[in-house]
Amino acid sequence: MLPSNVSDAAPVTFVLAGIPGMEELHVWLSIPFCSMYVAALLGNGVLLLVVWAERSLHQPMYLFLCMLAATDLVLSTTTVPKMLALFWFGAGEISFDACLAQMFFLHSSSLTESVILLAMAFDRFMAICHPLRYTAVMTPATVTKLGLAGLLRSCCIILPCVFLLRRLPFCGHRLVPHTYCEHMGIARLACADISANVVYGLAGPLAAAVLDLLLIAASYARILRALFRLPSQTARHRAFSTCISHLWVIFLLYAPAFFTVLTHRFGRDIPRHVHILLANLYVLFPPLLNPIVYGVRTQQIREKVVKVLLCPTAHPLRE
């Protein structure tokens, strides 16, 4: 039977435990985690700066790339600073509201990345399969609407998780065996039935991500078929190179995400610290590698990065 006053049962704070069984390695683990976080900040920051500064890059593909970089920054910044504070200073306490906020931004930014990748696939589909209609369809207004729609969809999917957690009474221990707050990690601390949290927490976000992935796969099936029909080998190579960069980014997001979810739900024999290490890498690897993949494989970005960073005095950024 639930307590008569659920709000009184809600804890003032939770305590993040870090990586159970590896507490003595927290300081050492913080070194690669901090390095990856700083590199992600620099890489995504430079990417945003270059696209903003260069008018020639104000095209749908690069604008979507900026959205992806901004979402990557939210994904990593939501979790990593608190994780490092825990590793360095033992500052594991986090208020109930801050924990819910961290959970919301973590999951919503992850879903936003998914829908941005879908928008990027649609952009490549229009550019390769319907080039004559591309400029008419992929206008700045369309890009803005797609970005806002993706953000709104992600928030609407994750917001019910906040209310599902707020309705729960927390009358037991406050220790979260993780480095950050995530939906099921919080729900398992409740002293009540969490069936609704389990069902919605798995079905809602997973269904959205799977739908995005299926639509991306359908888009790329059409794109690949169109690529092989291009008469010019140079045009075919250029389009294929752009698509490869996008496919790498898709792999970097979905592979660790699905692996983390599936091992978390079904990998009961996998040690707890392995689950948490994988979850930490999930919030670090995509933000770290996405700008590297596009920077290395996209000639326009490489050239503009050199121009902006090495020739700042001749750049219109100062105007």
Side-chain angles (χ1 to χ4, degrees):
M1 184 174 179
L2 296 179
S4 59
N5 192 342
V6 171
S7 62
D8 290 341
V12 177
T13 60
F14 286 126
V15 178
L16 297 171
I19 305 177
M22 301 183 69
E23 290 83 359
E24 69 281 0
L25 298 177
H26 278 178
V27 174
W28 295 105
L29 289 172
S30 70
I31 296 174
F33 287 175
C34 182
S35 301
M36 287 189 285
Y37 177 58
V38 171
L41 291 180
L42 291 175
N44 288 286
V46 168
L47 189 60
L48 289 169
L49 172 65
V50 168
V51 175
W52 174 67
E54 282 293 331
R55 294 179 183 271
S56 62
L57 295 181
H58 293 181
Q59 302 172 28
M61 185 179 76
Y62 301 110
L63 296 178
F64 285 131
L65 189 55
C66 282
M67 295 179 191
L68 187 66
T71 308
D72 277 338
L73 290 176
V74 173
L75 177 65
S76 56
T77 303
T78 296
T79 55
V80 178
K82 181 62 180 177
M83 182 196 310
L84 294 177
L86 168 64
F87 287 170
W88 289 339
F89 312 113
E93 287 198 355
I94 183 170
S95 69
F96 182 63
D97 289 335
C99 197
L100 292 182
Q102 188 183 59
M103 180 274 299
F104 174 79
F105 284 109
L106 169 70
H107 295 316
S108 60
S109 60
S110 179
L111 284 180
T112 301
E113 282 203 355
S114 177
V115 78
I116 290 173
L117 292 178
L118 174 59
M120 294 172 74
F122 176 70
D123 173 70
R124 292 299 86 203
F125 168 76
M126 291 301 301
I128 295 172
C129 299
H130 302 283
L132 298 180
R133 298 175 54 196
Y134 179 77
T135 54
V137 174
M138 298 305 295
T139 63
T142 301
V143 173
T144 302
K145 289 176 183 178
L146 288 173
L148 292 176
L151 180 62
L152 181 62
R153 189 200 73 162
S154 302
C155 292
C156 290
I157 291 174
I158 300 302
L159 193 59
C161 294
V162 176
F163 294 107
L164 285 172
L165 289 172
R166 280 200 169 276
R167 73 180 179 85
L168 294 173
F170 294 89
C171 48
H173 66 87
R174 302 179 299 142
L175 189 66
V176 180
H178 212 303
T179 56
Y180 54 77
C181 296
E182 50 92 22
H183 180 222
M184 288 311 303
I186 305 172
R188 288 196 178 98
L189 299 180
C191 48
D193 181 27
I194 60 170
S195 298
N197 296 76
V198 173
V199 173
Y200 184 82
L202 178 62
L206 189 60
V210 169
L211 176 62
D212 291 344
L213 189 58
L214 290 176
L215 292 174
I216 290 171
S219 298
Y220 268 94
R222 297 283 302 275
I223 289 171
L224 290 175
R225 187 170 64 179
L227 281 178
F228 290 114
R229 294 178 178 176
L230 289 177
S232 170
Q233 185 175 355
T234 302
R236 187 161 57 242
H237 176 75
R238 183 179 300 175
F240 188 72
S241 178
T242 302
C243 292
I244 286 295
S245 299
H246 188 203
L247 290 172
W248 265 111
V249 172
I250 292 171
F251 176 78
L252 291 174
L253 175 68
Y254 283 105
F258 280 118
F259 188 74
T260 300
V261 170
L262 292 175
T263 55
H264 187 69
R265 303 291 179 179
F266 308 110
R268 298 180 182 273
D269 296 331
I270 300 177
R272 181 70 182 175
H273 67 272
V274 175
H275 285 288
I276 298 176
L277 282 173
L278 290 173
N280 290 334
L281 293 177
Y282 168 69
V283 301
L284 283 166
F285 264 17
L288 171 67
L289 297 179
N290 285 350
I292 296 175
V293 169
Y294 273 100
V296 169
R297 296 198 60 88
T298 308
Q299 182 180 355
Q300 294 94 324
I301 292 180
R302 291 200 307 268
E303 293 174 350
K304 300 307 180 182
V305 166
V306 173
K307 179 181 177 181
V308 171
L309 297 184
L310 299 185
C311 307
T313 57
H315 203 271
L317 185 61
R318 296 181 59 191
E319 295 179 1

